[in-house]
Amino acid sequence: MLPMKRITFGVAMMGLGYLLGSSSPFAPVRAQDADSRPSEEAGKKITEANDKLKAAAETLKLESRYDSATKQVNSYAVLVGGVNPKEDLESGHGVDPETFAALYAAAYDMKKLNVKDDSLAEWVDISQLDYDTEGRLTYGGKVVRIYPVSRLKKLRAQRLALIGEKK
């Protein structure tokens, strides 16, 4: 009689486990669908914001306060009042997060997927992009890093002051 109780208990536990695992409160969490897009209204506002970022970038460029490692506008650089990614990249002292992401994606496409990436600015020497023995992104033999926390904090404070949110 004892073996039959154990078998029944085991089957019941497996059934309960199956039910709990397949019910929605315990379903795996899924990331946002790749094809989900913002509403048409949000899309219009994003386009308007991008146009204004381009205008601000042009003004900063005229003041010699802005450059971009990509052919597109570096929104981070614009909102902090300008950065010089060329100087930052060549010095090896770190780059802004958006520049890092662009370089990382371009290097991955070129080195890992053998796909030509033409999103980078003309001044970026793509032959200088590589990986070191530890798999870190390098440019001209120097590891590419994001700015140190102290510089990121300074730039964040500068951005908050520029957009009028600093208290």
Side-chain angles (χ1 to χ4, degrees):
M1 193 68 161
L2 189 59
M4 188 59 138
K5 285 184 181 179
R6 285 185 179 168
I7 292 172
T8 304
F9 180 73
V11 169
M13 291 305 289
M14 283 179 46
L16 179 64
Y18 176 78
L19 287 174
L20 289 175
S22 63
S23 65
S24 63
F26 300 103
V29 177
R30 291 193 168 79
Q32 184 177 11
D33 293 333
D35 62 350
S36 89
R37 298 183 48 87
S39 67
E40 187 175 326
E41 177 69 21
K44 286 178 184 177
K45 291 189 183 288
I46 290 168
T47 301
E48 290 170 13
N50 189 55
D51 292 342
K52 290 182 184 207
L53 281 171
K54 285 179 185 176
E58 284 303 315
T59 302
L60 289 169
K61 207 179 272 188
L62 290 172
E63 297 173 1
S64 299
R65 298 183 53 85
Y66 172 85
D67 199 357
S68 180
T70 64
K71 292 177 182 171
Q72 296 78 33
V73 173
N74 180 333
S75 57
Y76 181 87
V78 171
L79 292 174
V80 300
V83 296
N84 186 339
K86 184 174 185 178
E87 183 179 295
D88 293 338
L89 189 58
E90 291 172 353
S91 72
H93 292 117
V95 295
D96 66 273
E98 197 165 328
T99 296
F100 182 86
L103 293 172
Y104 193 89
Y108 185 83
D109 284 350
M110 292 182 308
K111 302 293 180 174
K112 304 284 184 182
L113 302 178
N114 294 321
V115 175
K116 185 176 189 284
D117 186 303
D118 62 348
S119 66
L120 298 178
E122 282 74 28
W123 63 262
V124 178
D125 184 357
I126 57 173
S127 67
Q128 297 287 325
L129 281 174
D130 208 351
Y131 295 96
D132 67 6
T133 57
E134 295 178 34
R136 298 175 298 189
L137 180 65
T138 61
Y139 185 81
K142 298 175 186 171
V143 175
V144 179
R145 302 182 193 289
I146 294 179
Y147 290 145
V149 173
S150 59
R151 178 136 189 230
L152 289 171
K153 284 183 175 184
K154 181 180 173 189
L155 289 171
R156 182 176 183 275
Q158 189 172 314
R159 182 188 79 209
L160 291 174
L162 285 170
I163 63 175
E165 291 188 11
K166 189 168 187 168
K167 298 174 183 169

